[in-house]
Each structure stands twice: as structure tokens, then as C-alpha cells.
């Protein structure tokens, strides 16, 4: 299970970028997992890139958690990136 270590997002009127870092409490000496976040022009309106080149799969724990966090944030603040709540339907 991962723990959120850091979340950084920077916005302008319609775009954003940032990163999210996770630690693994079961492996405290490992480097934190870091996922970069960037704006995208189509749903889900963001793009994730894992810093670890061999961990790009969407099923990697850090990618799953970063996706979940971004969907949550954008669902409640769509206006920050020039969107409306209709762009983020509740699943």
C-alpha cells in the first residue's frame, strides 16, 4: 500500500502540470515513486508519466493512485482548467 508523500500542481487559466510522490511503508528505504502530471486536450484531461521508465503501465500502483487523485481533484475543480462538471461524470 502506498502513502501520499507529496502532491504539487500548478495551474494557469486552462492548463496544469505537477507531480505526485508516494512512499511504500513496507519499504521505507526505497526511493519514492514519482508520477508527473501534465494537461491533456481530451478526456480524462490529464496525462501521467511515471519517472521510473519500466513502470509506465496504468496498472502500476503509483499510476493507479495518481489517476485516482487527479480524477478526484478535477471532478471538484473543473473550472480551474476551463472545464465544467459535465466533463467529469460520476462513474
Amino acid at each position: 500500500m502506498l502513502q501520499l508523500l507529496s502532491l504539487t500542481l500548478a495551474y494557469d487559466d486552462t492548463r496544469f502540470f505537477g507531480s505526485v510522490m508516494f512512499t511504500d511503508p513496507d519499504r521505507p528505504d526505497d526511493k519514492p515513486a514519482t508520477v508527473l502530471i501534465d494537461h491533456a486536450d481530451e478526456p480524462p484531461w490529464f496525462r501521467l508519466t511515471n519517472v521510473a521508465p519500466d513502470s509506465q503501465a496504468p496498472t502500476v500502483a503509483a499510476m493507479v493512485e495518481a489517476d485516482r487523485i487527479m480524477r478526484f481533484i478535477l471532478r471538484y475543480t473543473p473550472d480551474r482548467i476551463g472545464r465544467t462538471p459535465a466533463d467529469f461524470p460520476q462513474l
Side-chain angles (χ1 to χ4, degrees):
M1 174 184 254
L2 297 177
Q3 285 183 321
L4 181 63
L5 178 65
S6 170
L7 171 64
T8 304
L9 285 175
Y11 292 90
D12 66 15
D13 291 338
T14 59
R15 300 180 55 83
F16 60 90
F17 63 94
S19 67
V20 62
M21 295 175 72
F22 300 98
T23 60
D24 186 343
D26 296 331
R27 297 178 159 157
D29 295 331
D30 285 359
K31 288 179 21 178
T34 304
V35 177
L36 303 177
I37 303 161
D38 191 21
H39 173 83
D41 291 326
E42 56 190 44
W45 311 111
F46 60 89
R47 184 175 28 260
L48 302 175
T49 307
N50 199 321
V51 172
D54 60 341
S55 299
Q56 297 301 319
T59 57
V60 172
M63 296 289 275
V64 170
E65 285 301 306
D67 183 82
R68 186 180 65 78
I69 289 168
M70 284 307 299
R71 288 176 190 272
F72 177 82
I73 289 171
L74 294 177
R75 182 177 303 138
Y76 292 101
T77 60
D79 55 313
R80 294 294 307 265
I81 60 165
R83 300 287 169 204
T84 67
D87 291 317
F88 300 95
Q90 300 277 341
L91 299 177

